[in-house]
Amino acid sequence: MMQDDIERFLHYLEVERRYSPATISSYQRSLLQQSKLLENLGCSSWPEVTSAKVRSVLLKLKTSGLSARSMANKLSALRSFFNYLLQQQKVSLNPVAGVSAPKQNKPLPKNLDVDSLNQLLSMQGDDLVASRDLAMMELFYASGMRLAELVSLNVQDIDFKQRQVIVTGKGNKQRWVPFGSKAEQALKHWLKQRRLLVMDEEEPALFVSVRQQRISHRTVQKRLQHWAQQMQLSSTLHPHKLRHSFATHLLESSGDLRVVQELLGHANLATTQVYTHLDFTHLATSYDAAHPRAKRKS
């Protein structure tokens, strides 16, 4: 019975909320684990769950060695699930509402400095893979988009006239994000190469593998690592580091936290403040004037 409700909730997330398969899978693992712990505490149905029993579950997770961040994620999943049960009138209250997540030390995300980014993006290569990789890295740094957002891009999402790309983020929310002249140049070069590679005219993906299919998350990660080594960067490289470098460098130039919030697709400004770890007071006037690789040539 309890598991049936979980399955219905997951279906709701997939169909109505349009959550990604990875997020749904994470919710499923979390809720099934917590439901078993609650059953061990004597709960045979969701209305029997109390705040005290939820805290007991958190204590059990803590003693098992789970990190504070992971416990917070599990608590968030359970809270969302009970909100769903409230809507379905399966319970009369949300026992998770009054339970606080354990405090967690939030390590500041690291970024590359501008010189390191310029070193990385000075890579040479006219072959298909190199032109694709440069376009991906330029767009990552120009837009600050997430890995999943970049992989899901289609050719039609790029608007060269306005120099913008439409990005589909978390919760299937879309936002327009500008990109600079360097990214524009790299994208146009890649699209010329892409036409030589992709035989199927129905393939919509902007970035494809040598197998002529939409590029995978893992392939993008491996290619970034490859170029970090090739260009002799002193640190490892992954998509999130490029995203954070975008946010940090734009904020250093502009100081407009809310603009960066919009560009990153953060629902709450507090998320952007933690993400950037910088405190600014003055406002930006334009994206082109602020971003190191967006400035037009005079």
Side-chain angles (χ1 to χ4, degrees):
M1 180 62 136
M2 294 176 75
Q3 291 191 8
D4 290 343
D5 288 324
I6 292 175
E7 290 303 318
R8 281 189 283 268
F9 173 61
L10 296 174
H11 180 73
Y12 161 76
L13 294 182
E14 178 184 11
V15 176
E16 297 193 32
R17 299 296 301 276
R18 301 181 69 93
Y19 278 23
S20 70
T23 301
I24 293 172
S25 178
S26 175
Y27 269 76
Q28 183 179 40
R29 290 193 302 271
S30 177
L31 292 173
L32 288 177
Q33 179 189 26
Q34 292 180 90
S35 67
K36 290 179 180 178
L37 292 174
L38 287 167
E39 287 174 0
N40 293 337
L41 292 171
C43 298
S44 58
S45 64
W46 295 113
E48 296 178 45
V49 178
T50 63
S51 296
K53 290 181 177 178
V54 172
R55 291 189 180 93
S56 296
V57 167
L58 283 179
L59 182 60
K60 182 70 175 177
L61 293 172
K62 182 178 181 179
T63 55
S64 70
L66 205 65
S67 68
R69 177 180 290 274
S70 295
M71 284 192 286
N73 289 339
K74 289 182 182 296
L75 189 65
S76 176
L78 192 62
R79 184 181 294 111
S80 297
F81 174 61
F82 268 99
N83 284 335
Y84 166 79
L85 293 179
L86 273 172
Q87 294 174 4
Q88 301 299 312
Q89 299 183 336
K90 294 288 186 74
V91 296
S92 58
L93 54 84
N94 187 340
V96 192
V99 180
S100 300
K103 292 184 178 180
Q104 50 186 305
N105 295 322
K106 297 182 178 179
L108 296 175
K110 297 179 180 180
N111 63 281
L112 294 174
D113 57 40
V114 174
D115 289 339
S116 295
L117 259 302
N118 286 333
Q119 178 180 335
L120 172 70
L121 298 174
S122 66
M123 55 170 281
Q124 299 294 323
D126 293 326
D127 61 282
L128 288 168
V129 173
S131 64
R132 179 203 64 195
D133 293 351
L134 179 60
M136 289 194 304
M137 291 190 292
E138 285 282 8
L139 192 56
F140 260 136
Y141 181 46
S143 65
M145 68 179 68
R146 303 176 178 93
L147 172 59
E149 294 170 344
L150 179 125
V151 168
S152 67
L153 286 177
N154 293 326
V155 175
Q156 66 181 20
D157 295 331
I158 303 293
D159 182 350
F160 285 110
K161 185 176 181 180
Q162 298 297 322
R163 204 187 275 175
Q164 291 182 327
V165 55
I166 188 166
V167 178
T168 303
K170 292 183 178 181
N172 210 37
K173 293 180 180 178
Q174 293 187 321
R175 66 186 188 279
W176 281 101
V177 178
F179 55 84
S181 58
K182 296 289 187 180
E184 177 186 24
Q185 180 181 347
L187 282 167
K188 286 182 175 179
H189 181 64
W190 158 241
L191 286 174
K192 290 179 181 178
Q193 300 279 28
R194 182 187 179 280
R195 283 194 284 269
L196 301 176
L197 173 66
V198 180
M199 299 295 104
D200 183 5
E201 295 183 357
E202 298 299 319
E203 173 56 61
L206 175 61
F207 295 113
V208 295
S209 68
V210 292
R211 296 181 179 180
Q212 304 180 40
Q213 298 173 337
R214 187 180 298 275
I215 199 167
S216 69
H217 293 209
R218 182 57 185 150
T219 298
V220 175
Q221 293 167 336
K222 290 175 68 174
R223 296 307 299 169
L224 293 188
Q225 292 170 5
H226 166 79
W227 287 112
Q229 293 173 353
Q230 288 291 109
M231 303 307 292
Q232 300 181 336
L233 295 190
S234 59
S235 62
T236 57
L237 182 63
H238 48 78
H240 188 74
K241 184 172 285 189
L242 288 177
R243 175 172 163 84
H244 183 57
S245 299
F246 160 84
T248 303
H249 298 167
L250 189 57
L251 275 166
E252 287 174 345
S253 299
S254 71
D256 194 335
L257 200 61
R258 290 198 177 275
V259 166
V260 177
Q261 175 193 0
E262 284 292 318
L263 295 175
L264 292 176
H266 285 160
N268 300 311
L269 186 62
T271 307
T272 314
Q273 289 171 325
V274 171
Y275 188 93
T276 57
H277 75 266
L278 296 171
D279 182 21
F280 295 93
T281 55
H282 64 285
L283 300 178
T285 56
S286 70
Y287 175 92
D288 283 343
H291 194 278
R293 292 181 75 82
K295 298 174 183 177
R296 300 175 185 270
K297 294 181 180 179
S298 57

